[in-house]
Amino acid sequence: MDFRFKSRKLRFYTGGIASLLVPDSLYRQRLHRLMATLSDEEMRAVMKRVDYYNRLASPFDPGDGAVRIGDFRYEKRGAYYLDARRVVRHFDPELRFNYRFGDVTWVAETPTIVKSRPICRETPPGNANNLLLKLNSVRHFHFANDRLRYADKKTGVVWRGKCFHEHRAAVLRRFCRHPRMDIGQSHAKRRHQPDYRPYLSIEAQLQYKFVLSLEGKDVATNLKWILSSNSLCLMPPPRYETWFMEGALEPYVHYVPLAEDCHDLEEKMDYYSTRPEEAEAIIRNANAHVDRFRDTRLEHLISLLVMHRYFALSGQLSSRSDPLPAHPAVNASAARNNWA
């Protein structure tokens, strides 16, 4: 594991656990103040993302399984808990919500806070019961600081990661010995396998012009740092999405699409090797997609508004417990049912 990732985790847990010592009462009523700092343009962008993450449009009952915010306690999946706690502590401790931590690849029966959900482009959306929050951010939201120009990178495809799923294993079997590709699984306990390759840091992988992204159980962890770099992302169209809005990524705009089994990987590599202008245009679009997630103030506000809509539609907000009563931008956004 990269030393810098360990250091990032240490800072995340240290800061997150320390913040639990601060009384929740000091966090309430911040939502209205945060929104007051936004320009009209920022507000429109914020509410469009709230609509994306929280696609609920009708009142609902959270059910008996919902937990009170006041009873929400630290558990085994600590990174998920700390991210969720950072949001819900801004609301009345009597309010209740459903959550499911981990890799969620199905649609919940009742509206539930999750990290991931199946991508759905239907209207109305079939995945609306899965409300996305930025969970396990320390693992999934790491962006690259890539100073190497695309033109100066090595022509080849690289991939490293764990390989617990057959769709990844099939790709490795096909390409692990390809002379122009550095592709392999790096699980230390599987170093005896022919598809094993030594660990490569992100910086080392970004020496290559092309980086392969493969979903695991749900989303691909490496997708965020690839799209923030000067390398070109090659991947099968994503099936799942998170706070990163993978469902909004467009083929040939933000990434180069591959067949599900990646049999066309060499063909796509050869095509873009001879068309650097097209490759760099896609990279610029990918970087622009990443840029919307870099403003920590807006990221936090969007999370709060996702939860505010959850509590409003579940009928739990009163004049006493609503931190954002009758705000016109929030009401207008909820009425539009804009899931684009």
Side-chain angles (χ1 to χ4, degrees):
M1 182 182 293
D2 194 318
F3 171 78
R4 275 175 283 191
F5 177 61
K6 291 183 178 180
S7 176
R8 192 166 71 250
K9 284 185 69 175
L10 178 61
R11 293 193 302 272
F12 173 85
Y13 280 104
T14 300
I17 293 173
S19 72
L20 298 180
L21 302 177
V22 180
D24 287 355
S25 58
L26 297 181
Y27 285 84
R28 297 181 198 125
Q29 304 306 318
R30 292 180 65 199
L31 181 53
H32 197 284
R33 293 200 302 272
L34 282 170
M35 292 192 70
T37 67
L38 298 184
S39 67
D40 290 343
E41 183 179 358
E42 286 178 317
M43 180 62 75
R44 286 192 292 271
V46 161
M47 296 315 303
K48 187 173 183 179
R49 285 182 59 190
V50 173
D51 293 340
Y52 189 96
Y53 300 132
N54 186 334
R55 296 178 164 182
L56 297 174
S58 303
F60 67 93
D61 181 352
D64 296 336
V67 63
R68 288 177 62 254
I69 292 176
D71 296 330
F72 187 40
R73 295 290 183 266
Y74 193 88
E75 57 180 71
K76 184 177 180 181
R77 295 184 183 272
Y80 286 83
Y81 171 83
L82 291 173
D83 282 332
R85 178 74 183 196
R86 181 170 177 263
V87 177
V88 300
R89 70 186 311 182
H90 289 76
F91 297 89
D92 190 309
E94 294 300 318
L95 302 183
R96 299 178 301 124
F97 69 104
N98 291 292
Y99 69 93
R100 180 66 179 260
F101 293 162
D103 300 334
V104 177
T105 58
W106 62 93
V107 177
E109 294 184 3
T110 189
T112 302
I113 299 303
V114 297
K115 180 201 76 176
S116 55
R117 68 188 179 195
I119 291 173
C120 177
R121 296 182 174 87
E122 301 171 354
T123 302
N127 60 1
N129 276 353
N130 288 26
L131 287 74
L132 297 176
L133 279 188
K134 192 175 184 178
L135 302 180
N136 199 9
S137 60
V138 67
R139 172 175 170 79
H140 289 277
F141 277 82
H142 171 61
F143 301 132
N145 181 22
D146 187 6
R147 298 184 179 181
L148 186 62
R149 298 187 313 152
Y150 174 81
D152 297 331
K153 295 173 182 272
K154 295 184 288 188
T155 300
V157 181
V158 66
W159 183 85
R160 286 293 190 280
K162 301 293 178 64
C163 189
F164 300 128
H165 303 280
E166 175 55 28
H167 61 277
R168 281 188 173 183
V171 174
L172 266 61
R173 286 194 296 268
R174 182 188 292 264
F175 294 111
C176 68
R177 291 188 174 89
H178 194 288
R180 293 189 294 151
M181 300 183 188
D182 189 357
I183 291 177
Q185 56 87 10
S186 53
H187 196 302
K189 294 183 178 180
R190 299 184 177 186
R191 63 177 66 234
H192 62 282
Q193 296 182 184
D195 60 0
Y196 173 81
R197 297 294 181 273
Y199 167 81
L200 273 186
S201 67
I202 292 175
E203 289 75 12
Q205 293 183 56
L206 291 180
Q207 299 293 310
Y208 289 83
K209 288 182 176 177
F210 309 106
V211 185
L212 179 63
S213 185
L214 297 172
E215 288 184 323
K217 184 176 181 181
D218 60 359
V219 296
T221 306
N222 69 352
L223 182 60
K224 288 84 170 176
W225 59 257
I226 299 173
L227 296 189
S228 66
S229 75
N230 295 324
S231 294
L232 186 62
C233 177
L234 282 66
M235 69 175 183
R239 299 169 297 160
Y240 304 105
E241 64 181 351
T242 65
W243 187 265
F244 193 59
M245 300 171 65
E246 287 88 347
L249 297 174
E250 299 179 52
Y252 300 111
V253 175
H254 301 101
Y255 69 97
V256 175
L258 300 173
E260 287 298 321
D261 62 359
C262 298
H263 71 264
D264 53 349
L265 178 57
E266 184 176 15
E267 172 192 337
K268 295 294 178 62
M269 177 181 66
D270 289 340
Y271 178 92
Y272 286 96
S273 295
T274 60
R275 294 167 176 81
E277 297 83 3
E278 293 185 33
E280 292 186 46
I282 294 174
I283 290 170
R284 287 193 296 272
N285 291 333
N287 293 168
H289 179 83
V290 170
D291 286 345
R292 72 180 70 187
F293 303 97
R294 293 186 183 275
D295 189 323
T296 56
R297 175 185 61 116
L298 292 182
E299 292 288 277
H300 187 47
L301 175 58
I302 294 166
S303 299
L304 295 175
L305 290 172
V306 168
M307 287 307 306
H308 180 273
R309 182 177 296 177
Y310 178 96
F311 293 130
L313 287 175
S314 60
Q316 299 184 73
L317 293 182
S318 63
S319 58
R320 180 186 65 83
S321 62
D322 191 349
L324 199 65
H327 194 288
V330 174
N331 294 339
S333 175
R336 281 197 309 267
N337 291 347
N338 176 16
W339 299 296

